[in-house]
Amino acid sequence: MHNTLEVPDARLYYEVRGEGPLVVLVGAPMNADSFAPAAELLATDHTVLTTDPRGINRSPLHDPDQDSTPQLRADDLSRLLTHLDAGPAAIFGSSGGAVTALAFAEAHPEQAHTVIAHEAPVVDPLEDREQLYAGTDDQIATYLAGDVIGAWRKFMAQANIPIPDDAIGMMFGGDRDPQQVADERRWFAHEMRATVHWQPDFAALRAASTRVVIGIGEDSAGQLCDRTSLALAAALGIEPTMFPGGHVGFVDDPKSFVTRLHAVLYES
């Protein structure tokens, strides 16, 4: 089932599958389609909610120049759960969506019994945070100046994700899907900075009734989101939880990833 919900300044597109305990899968800027294979597998014994974040794909904004913050996206999820009269939920967020999930745990703990933040790019706990903030701002400026491939080269270099230059050119150059380009531009222009610059309230996260899990891909060792996730887990006084694959393991091998996710959901 798919539908839309009017929220302040936007209309949210969302999908609901299956029956059983509620699991929310959330990305930023990834939309609902990226989670569809994993959602189908989870829906055999769960109700699964996926959504396009505000301003992405099928979730248009009233003001296209509005910036997207983790707090805004967390409030959107809260409104969706209230609209569906659902929850408390388990929320799995990946990358920018993991930052959304952590912001949700701070602001709406009564609506989530578990929050799994998989590879959140939260650099605040790192000693080289100022250098990373500057690098992010440089990536954004490079993209907005029109150098798309150059911006992605800088992004991958800072993320420490090894992709050959010619592969980056093939991925982000030439003829591309217009919606993909629009969502990418929104990420650089209106979403990336607030997501990377978000500062957790560790005291609130530690005190919340919500169980917080910090997830890391087994193949992500040495990458920026491995470093940020290790630092987040240490700041929260918990051990990180390993998942199959790398940064987008749920896309590359949904079956293995969902098997692990299912086990994590039911750990005490």
Side-chain angles (χ1 to χ4, degrees), residues 213-227:
V213 176
I214 302 298
I216 306 176
E218 292 171 345
D219 298 339
S220 297
Q223 295 179 8
L224 177 59
C225 283
D226 175 50
R227 292 177 57 213

Side-chain angles (χ1 to χ4, degrees), residues 32-150:
D33 293 344
S34 302
F35 292 95
E40 290 290 341
L41 292 167
L42 269 176
T44 58
D45 55 0
H46 291 83
T47 300
V48 185
L49 169 65
T50 56
T51 182
D52 292 356
R54 62 169 51 224
I56 296 295
N57 201 4
R58 295 154 292 193
S59 290
L61 292 169
H62 299 168
D63 175 10
D65 290 328
Q66 181 197 57
D67 288 338
S68 174
T69 68
Q71 295 91 331
L72 269 178
R73 300 194 299 269
D75 288 346
D76 287 342
L77 286 182
S78 176
R79 293 185 182 99
L80 277 172
L81 293 180
T82 299
H83 172 69
L84 295 171
D85 193 22
I91 297 179
F92 171 87
S94 186
S95 194
V99 187
T100 306
L102 290 170
F104 189 95
E106 287 187 11
H108 308 285
E110 74 286 351
Q111 288 185 293
H113 60 79
T114 302
V115 159
I116 302 170
H118 179 260
E119 302 223 347
V122 176
V123 304
D124 178 67
L126 299 177
E127 291 186 359
D128 57 342
R129 68 181 73 84
E130 296 303 328
Q131 178 183 339
L132 293 166
Y133 288 147
T136 297
D137 292 347
D138 180 50
Q139 294 159 31
I140 294 167
T142 301
Y143 187 93
L144 295 180
D147 186 1
V148 173
I149 293 175

